[in-house]
Amino acid sequence: MNADLRLYLTAARDVAREAADLVRRHRAEGVSVRVKGGEVRELVTTADEAADELIRARLLALFPDHAVMSEETAHAGATLDPETPTWIVDPLDGTSNFAHGLPVFSVSLGLWWQGRPLVAAVCEVMRDWLFWAASGQGAWLNGQPLRVSRETEALHAVLASDWTHSPERRRLATHLFARFVLRGHAARSLGSAALGLCYVAAGWLDGYVNLGLDPWDAAAGVLLVQEAGGLATDARGQPWTPAQEILVATNGPLHATVLSWLEEVWEEEG
Ligand code: IPD
Ligand code: CA
Ligand code: CA
């Protein structure tokens, strides 16, 4: 691994862990929850904001010439400058779970440059599981290499999706989810897109689809999926980029099937 990549990876892992510690402390001490931006289902807590502040401060101190796009301080509609290395950060992914006491949420950091992810770290906060990947260096969980599943049959597949904030996309997602339930082995909804992607990388899920992502939800997870041997694309099968709202991530053999189900849903319900 070249020296720069090693430096970025070390920073991503250290900062993700430090932010996860902070989120755990906030959970223990109590947080205040409020609705964000007028959308009744979109919540933000004091832990999201504190983690955002900490991560930004750490990354900009380490890399003053990099940019940071972090959910709680990003401008609406902010776009990436591909020539500036940019940390795309979700300081707390799974805020609905967090606010309801459900212990499934993560801190997610991905560094992108020239249209590609370079390093990624996702910390599953309550288990202290650190998922990470670096371009060309594989995907890892707490020092163990990760590999996507080998499943080829949709009927045996465990597939996951989550619920977006847009009511229209939610409706479409229910139709896709129904296909996962009726045509696959089982369907899951974890409430953290970043963790859904890490679980695909680990081979615990065979696929994960989200129909309404923001860049920070998947900027780290897609590198984990790719480095573990899977595919992460938009609805047409093109490599996912942070500008895409739709993400289809699978182990590879199941990709065409899942894309075809999405197309069916779009034609019938869209
Ligand atoms: C949410 C989660 C959820 C996804 C939503 C996201 P947040 O992120 O990733 O799984 O379906 O679209 O907004 O708000 O908890 O950071
Ligand atoms: Ca998120
Ligand atoms: Ca978040």
Side-chain angles (χ1 to χ4, degrees), residues 210-224:
N210 194 307
L211 303 186
L213 289 171
D214 285 308
W216 38 81
D217 297 315
V222 295
L223 184 60
L224 272 128

Side-chain angles (χ1 to χ4, degrees), residues 71 90 92-95 191-194 213-214 216-218:
E71 177 173 11
D90 197 331
L92 206 176
D93 187 53
T95 297
S192 161
L213 289 171
D214 285 308
W216 38 81
D217 297 315

Side-chain angles (χ1 to χ4, degrees), residues 137-186:
Q137 308 297 319
W140 303 77
L141 165 57
N142 291 346
Q144 298 297 316
L146 299 179
R147 195 74 205 156
V148 292
S149 78
R150 295 169 187 270
E151 190 53 67
T152 58
E153 299 290 329
L155 193 56
H156 300 147
V158 180
L159 299 165
S161 185
D162 283 307
W163 313 105
T164 68
H165 302 299
S166 137
E168 175 57 19
R169 289 288 169 94
R170 268 185 182 233
R171 195 178 58 76
L172 290 178
T174 64
H175 292 283
L176 185 65
F177 205 74
R179 282 162 171 80
F180 292 176
V181 174
L182 298 172
R183 298 177 184 176
H185 173 73

Side-chain angles (χ1 to χ4, degrees), residues 59-71:
L59 291 175
L60 289 173
L62 287 165
F63 308 112
D65 55 338
H66 289 190
V68 177
M69 177 195 265
S70 183
E71 177 173 11

